Amino acid sequence: MKKIFISWMLLAGISSFAQEAGKAGELLKNEASTTEMKAPKSFNERNKAFDQSRSGNNNIPQGNRNTRPNYQWKRNYGYAEVFLRIPEQGFFTIEVGDQMMANGSGKYRFFDLSSGRMPISIYENGFLIYRTTLMLRNNSRIVLDFFTNEGLYLLDSYPVQGQYGFNDWNDVWNNPYGNQPGDRYNQGNVMDDNSFRQFYDMMMRNESFDDGKITMINQQMRTTMFTSVQIRDLVKAISFDNKKLALAKSMYRNCVDKNRYFMVYDTFDFESSKRELMDYISNL
């Protein structure tokens, strides 16, 4: 049993490269109050106040303006990173600790952050819409996704070693917000055919009952995306239609080629189950 568990965890690790945006991971609680969210914020005043407080002297004499300040470089300020993506149209301002970034590209990367509890605030058009607290660790990167109608998702946290950025922004996340054309899905954390076959064979070898198979699949879904063909094979491995239907519904969010999900329909024994799945997808 111990050998089976270790093999299962190793296989999960092989496929946990990233997570589909907003579809897996932990939804972080919005700690912003209703009063805070109703009041617009002046970022110019914020920056002015912050710059003064950093100087250590809020009343600088006029005659000393050309005097070089006695400043000590904080070499060990921090080594944590936060990567945030907002895949929506709009102009957002993000605050992480004492750092701020504003743009309409949806890409926000923060470096040299202190470890420990760190507030993150998200503003849209000057209004606070989300605030929560992150737990940062030195030499680690936190990866986040934000949706205005859903919230802030913590997708991953992992150590970084000498990697101060990415040549391709999408290296951090799974590519598909929409469906990608073609039959090859080598991006992000989609299971390759060989890994899927290992997972499938191990599941069939070690789990005789539906509940055990579904438990393994649900565990793998926390870190892995699947193709429609792979989902079809997993659903087909389940014996009873009601459990097939529940699994097919839950796996839809982890499907990388949703335009081919019709392939899953043929796994059902009853027409009513097929219709229910079609209605479920149509109403999403």
Side-chain angles (χ1 to χ4, degrees), residues 96-129:
V96 179
D98 61 7
Q99 296 188 33
M100 176 187 291
M101 184 179 298
N103 63 52
S105 71
K107 304 174 182 179
Y108 307 88
R109 285 175 280 192
F110 298 87
F111 302 92
D112 301 323
L113 296 164
S114 299
S115 60
R117 293 174 61 85
M118 183 71 66
I120 178 172
S121 301
I122 302 175
Y123 300 84
E124 184 178 18
N125 300 321
F127 286 87
L128 178 67
I129 58 176

Short mmCIF file of all heavy atoms in Angstrom, two decimals, residues 96-129:
data_model
loop_
_atom_site.label_atom_id
_atom_site.label_comp_id
_atom_site.label_asym_id
_atom_site.label_seq_id
_atom_site.Cartn_x
_atom_site.Cartn_y
_atom_site.Cartn_z
N VAL A 96 1.23 45.38 -3.42
CA VAL A 96 1.71 44.26 -2.61
C VAL A 96 2.71 44.85 -1.63
O VAL A 96 3.81 45.25 -2.02
CB VAL A 96 2.37 43.17 -3.47
CG1 VAL A 96 2.87 42.03 -2.59
CG2 VAL A 96 1.39 42.63 -4.50
N GLY A 97 2.34 44.91 -0.37
CA GLY A 97 3.20 45.56 0.61
C GLY A 97 3.40 47.02 0.25
O GLY A 97 2.44 47.77 0.06
N ASP A 98 4.66 47.44 0.10
CA ASP A 98 4.95 48.83 -0.26
C ASP A 98 5.23 49.00 -1.75
O ASP A 98 5.70 50.05 -2.17
CB ASP A 98 6.12 49.35 0.57
CG ASP A 98 7.42 48.56 0.33
OD1 ASP A 98 7.43 47.70 -0.57
OD2 ASP A 98 8.40 48.79 1.06
N GLN A 99 4.93 47.99 -2.55
CA GLN A 99 5.11 48.09 -4.00
C GLN A 99 3.76 48.27 -4.69
O GLN A 99 2.75 47.72 -4.25
CB GLN A 99 5.80 46.84 -4.55
CG GLN A 99 7.22 46.64 -4.03
CD GLN A 99 7.93 45.51 -4.76
OE1 GLN A 99 7.70 45.26 -5.95
NE2 GLN A 99 8.80 44.81 -4.05
N MET A 100 3.78 49.01 -5.79
CA MET A 100 2.54 49.26 -6.54
C MET A 100 2.81 49.15 -8.03
O MET A 100 3.88 49.53 -8.51
CB MET A 100 2.00 50.67 -6.22
CG MET A 100 0.77 51.05 -7.02
SD MET A 100 0.30 52.77 -6.75
CE MET A 100 -0.23 52.67 -5.06
N MET A 101 1.85 48.60 -8.76
CA MET A 101 1.95 48.48 -10.20
C MET A 101 0.57 48.70 -10.81
O MET A 101 -0.42 48.18 -10.31
CB MET A 101 2.50 47.11 -10.60
CG MET A 101 2.74 46.92 -12.10
SD MET A 101 3.43 45.27 -12.46
CE MET A 101 4.97 45.36 -11.56
N ALA A 102 0.52 49.49 -11.88
CA ALA A 102 -0.76 49.77 -12.54
C ALA A 102 -0.59 49.65 -14.05
O ALA A 102 0.33 50.23 -14.63
CB ALA A 102 -1.25 51.18 -12.18
N ASN A 103 -1.46 48.88 -14.70
CA ASN A 103 -1.45 48.77 -16.16
C ASN A 103 -2.74 48.11 -16.63
O ASN A 103 -3.58 47.71 -15.83
CB ASN A 103 -0.22 48.00 -16.66
CG ASN A 103 -0.18 46.57 -16.17
OD1 ASN A 103 -1.14 45.82 -16.31
ND2 ASN A 103 0.95 46.17 -15.57
N GLY A 104 -2.89 48.01 -17.93
CA GLY A 104 -4.05 47.36 -18.51
C GLY A 104 -3.71 46.07 -19.20
O GLY A 104 -4.54 45.50 -19.91
N SER A 105 -2.48 45.57 -19.00
CA SER A 105 -2.04 44.35 -19.68
C SER A 105 -2.47 43.09 -18.96
O SER A 105 -2.46 42.00 -19.52
CB SER A 105 -0.51 44.36 -19.82
OG SER A 105 0.11 44.16 -18.56
N GLY A 106 -2.81 43.23 -17.67
CA GLY A 106 -3.19 42.06 -16.89
C GLY A 106 -2.02 41.27 -16.35
O GLY A 106 -2.21 40.19 -15.79
N LYS A 107 -0.80 41.81 -16.46
CA LYS A 107 0.40 41.10 -15.99
C LYS A 107 1.06 41.93 -14.89
O LYS A 107 1.44 43.08 -15.10
CB LYS A 107 1.38 40.91 -17.15
CG LYS A 107 0.80 40.17 -18.34
CD LYS A 107 1.80 40.15 -19.48
CE LYS A 107 1.22 39.45 -20.71
NZ LYS A 107 2.19 39.44 -21.83
N TYR A 108 1.21 41.33 -13.73
CA TYR A 108 1.77 42.04 -12.58
C TYR A 108 2.78 41.13 -11.88
O TYR A 108 2.42 40.06 -11.39
CB TYR A 108 0.66 42.44 -11.61
CG TYR A 108 -0.46 43.20 -12.28
CD1 TYR A 108 -1.53 42.52 -12.85
CD2 TYR A 108 -0.43 44.59 -12.36
CE1 TYR A 108 -2.55 43.21 -13.48
CE2 TYR A 108 -1.45 45.28 -12.99
CZ TYR A 108 -2.50 44.59 -13.55
OH TYR A 108 -3.52 45.27 -14.18
N ARG A 109 4.04 41.59 -11.85
CA ARG A 109 5.10 40.80 -11.24
C ARG A 109 5.83 41.63 -10.19
O ARG A 109 6.30 42.73 -10.48
CB ARG A 109 6.07 40.30 -12.31
CG ARG A 109 5.51 39.17 -13.15
CD ARG A 109 6.44 38.77 -14.28
NE ARG A 109 6.33 39.69 -15.41
CZ ARG A 109 6.84 39.45 -16.61
NH1 ARG A 109 7.50 38.34 -16.81
NH2 ARG A 109 6.70 40.32 -17.58
N PHE A 110 5.92 41.10 -9.00
CA PHE A 110 6.56 41.80 -7.89
C PHE A 110 7.74 40.97 -7.38
O PHE A 110 7.59 39.78 -7.13
CB PHE A 110 5.56 42.02 -6.75
CG PHE A 110 4.38 42.89 -7.14
CD1 PHE A 110 3.25 42.32 -7.71
CD2 PHE A 110 4.41 44.26 -6.92
CE1 PHE A 110 2.17 43.10 -8.08
CE2 PHE A 110 3.33 45.06 -7.28
CZ PHE A 110 2.21 44.48 -7.86
N PHE A 111 8.88 41.64 -7.22
CA PHE A 111 10.09 40.99 -6.77
C PHE A 111 10.59 41.65 -5.48
O PHE A 111 10.13 42.72 -5.09
CB PHE A 111 11.19 41.06 -7.83
CG PHE A 111 10.80 40.45 -9.15
CD1 PHE A 111 10.23 41.22 -10.16
CD2 PHE A 111 11.01 39.10 -9.39
CE1 PHE A 111 9.89 40.65 -11.37
CE2 PHE A 111 10.65 38.52 -10.60
CZ PHE A 111 10.09 39.30 -11.59
N ASP A 112 11.55 41.02 -4.83
CA ASP A 112 12.22 41.60 -3.66
C ASP A 112 11.26 41.97 -2.56
O ASP A 112 11.36 43.03 -1.94
CB ASP A 112 13.04 42.83 -4.07
CG ASP A 112 14.09 42.50 -5.11
OD1 ASP A 112 14.68 41.40 -5.02
OD2 ASP A 112 14.31 43.31 -6.02
N LEU A 113 10.30 41.08 -2.29
CA LEU A 113 9.34 41.29 -1.22
C LEU A 113 9.82 40.62 0.07
O LEU A 113 10.51 39.61 0.03
CB LEU A 113 7.98 40.72 -1.61
CG LEU A 113 7.30 41.38 -2.81
CD1 LEU A 113 6.17 40.49 -3.33
CD2 LEU A 113 6.77 42.76 -2.45
N SER A 114 9.43 41.21 1.20
CA SER A 114 9.78 40.62 2.49
C SER A 114 8.97 39.35 2.72
O SER A 114 7.83 39.23 2.27
CB SER A 114 9.51 41.61 3.62
OG SER A 114 10.28 42.77 3.47
N SER A 115 9.55 38.42 3.43
CA SER A 115 8.82 37.21 3.79
C SER A 115 7.86 37.51 4.93
O SER A 115 7.98 38.52 5.62
CB SER A 115 9.80 36.10 4.20
OG SER A 115 10.55 36.52 5.32
N GLY A 116 6.90 36.61 5.11
CA GLY A 116 5.90 36.78 6.17
C GLY A 116 4.55 37.20 5.62
O GLY A 116 4.28 37.07 4.42
N ARG A 117 3.69 37.70 6.48
CA ARG A 117 2.36 38.12 6.08
C ARG A 117 2.45 39.42 5.27
O ARG A 117 3.09 40.37 5.70
CB ARG A 117 1.46 38.32 7.30
CG ARG A 117 1.16 37.02 8.05
CD ARG A 117 0.40 37.27 9.33
NE ARG A 117 -0.89 37.90 9.06
CZ ARG A 117 -1.99 37.25 8.74
NH1 ARG A 117 -1.96 35.92 8.64
NH2 ARG A 117 -3.13 37.87 8.53
N MET A 118 1.82 39.42 4.10
CA MET A 118 1.93 40.55 3.19
C MET A 118 0.56 40.89 2.60
O MET A 118 -0.08 40.04 1.98
CB MET A 118 2.90 40.22 2.06
CG MET A 118 3.14 41.37 1.08
SD MET A 118 4.10 42.70 1.81
CE MET A 118 5.69 41.90 2.07
N PRO A 119 0.06 42.12 2.79
CA PRO A 119 -1.23 42.49 2.21
C PRO A 119 -1.13 42.69 0.70
O PRO A 119 -0.12 43.20 0.19
CB PRO A 119 -1.57 43.81 2.91
CG PRO A 119 -0.24 44.40 3.25
CD PRO A 119 0.66 43.24 3.56
N ILE A 120 -2.16 42.28 -0.02
CA ILE A 120 -2.28 42.56 -1.45
C ILE A 120 -3.64 43.19 -1.69
O ILE A 120 -4.66 42.70 -1.19
CB ILE A 120 -2.10 41.29 -2.31
CG1 ILE A 120 -2.28 41.63 -3.81
CG2 ILE A 120 -3.03 40.17 -1.88
CD1 ILE A 120 -1.92 40.49 -4.74
N SER A 121 -3.65 44.32 -2.40
CA SER A 121 -4.88 45.06 -2.69
C SER A 121 -5.02 45.22 -4.19
O SER A 121 -4.04 45.48 -4.89
CB SER A 121 -4.88 46.43 -2.01
OG SER A 121 -4.74 46.32 -0.61
N ILE A 122 -6.24 45.08 -4.69
CA ILE A 122 -6.52 45.20 -6.12
C ILE A 122 -7.54 46.31 -6.30
O ILE A 122 -8.62 46.30 -5.68
CB ILE A 122 -7.05 43.88 -6.69
CG1 ILE A 122 -6.04 42.76 -6.46
CG2 ILE A 122 -7.36 44.03 -8.18
CD1 ILE A 122 -6.53 41.38 -6.89
N TYR A 123 -7.20 47.29 -7.15
CA TYR A 123 -8.07 48.43 -7.42
C TYR A 123 -8.45 48.43 -8.90
O TYR A 123 -7.64 48.10 -9.77
CB TYR A 123 -7.37 49.74 -7.10
CG TYR A 123 -6.93 49.91 -5.67
CD1 TYR A 123 -5.72 49.38 -5.23
CD2 TYR A 123 -7.72 50.60 -4.76
CE1 TYR A 123 -5.30 49.52 -3.91
CE2 TYR A 123 -7.32 50.75 -3.43
CZ TYR A 123 -6.10 50.22 -3.03
OH TYR A 123 -5.71 50.37 -1.73
N GLU A 124 -9.67 48.80 -9.17
CA GLU A 124 -10.13 49.00 -10.54
C GLU A 124 -10.69 50.41 -10.65
O GLU A 124 -11.61 50.79 -9.93
CB GLU A 124 -11.20 47.98 -10.93
CG GLU A 124 -11.62 48.10 -12.40
CD GLU A 124 -12.64 47.06 -12.81
OE1 GLU A 124 -13.27 46.46 -11.91
OE2 GLU A 124 -12.81 46.83 -14.02
N ASN A 125 -10.08 51.21 -11.55
CA ASN A 125 -10.48 52.60 -11.74
C ASN A 125 -10.50 53.38 -10.44
O ASN A 125 -11.38 54.21 -10.19
CB ASN A 125 -11.86 52.66 -12.41
CG ASN A 125 -11.87 52.00 -13.78
OD1 ASN A 125 -10.91 52.12 -14.54
ND2 ASN A 125 -12.94 51.29 -14.09
N GLY A 126 -9.54 53.12 -9.58
CA GLY A 126 -9.40 53.87 -8.34
C GLY A 126 -10.18 53.34 -7.17
O GLY A 126 -10.05 53.85 -6.06
N PHE A 127 -10.98 52.31 -7.37
CA PHE A 127 -11.79 51.74 -6.29
C PHE A 127 -11.22 50.39 -5.86
O PHE A 127 -10.91 49.54 -6.69
CB PHE A 127 -13.24 51.57 -6.72
CG PHE A 127 -14.01 52.86 -6.80
CD1 PHE A 127 -14.00 53.61 -7.96
CD2 PHE A 127 -14.74 53.32 -5.71
CE1 PHE A 127 -14.70 54.81 -8.04
CE2 PHE A 127 -15.44 54.51 -5.78
CZ PHE A 127 -15.42 55.26 -6.94
N LEU A 128 -11.10 50.22 -4.55
CA LEU A 128 -10.67 48.94 -4.01
C LEU A 128 -11.74 47.89 -4.28
O LEU A 128 -12.90 48.08 -3.95
CB LEU A 128 -10.43 49.07 -2.50
CG LEU A 128 -10.01 47.78 -1.77
CD1 LEU A 128 -8.62 47.33 -2.21
CD2 LEU A 128 -10.05 48.00 -0.26
N ILE A 129 -11.34 46.77 -4.89
CA ILE A 129 -12.30 45.70 -5.15
C ILE A 129 -11.91 44.40 -4.46
O ILE A 129 -12.74 43.49 -4.35
CB ILE A 129 -12.47 45.45 -6.67
CG1 ILE A 129 -11.13 45.11 -7.33
CG2 ILE A 129 -13.12 46.65 -7.35
CD1 ILE A 129 -11.25 44.75 -8.80
#
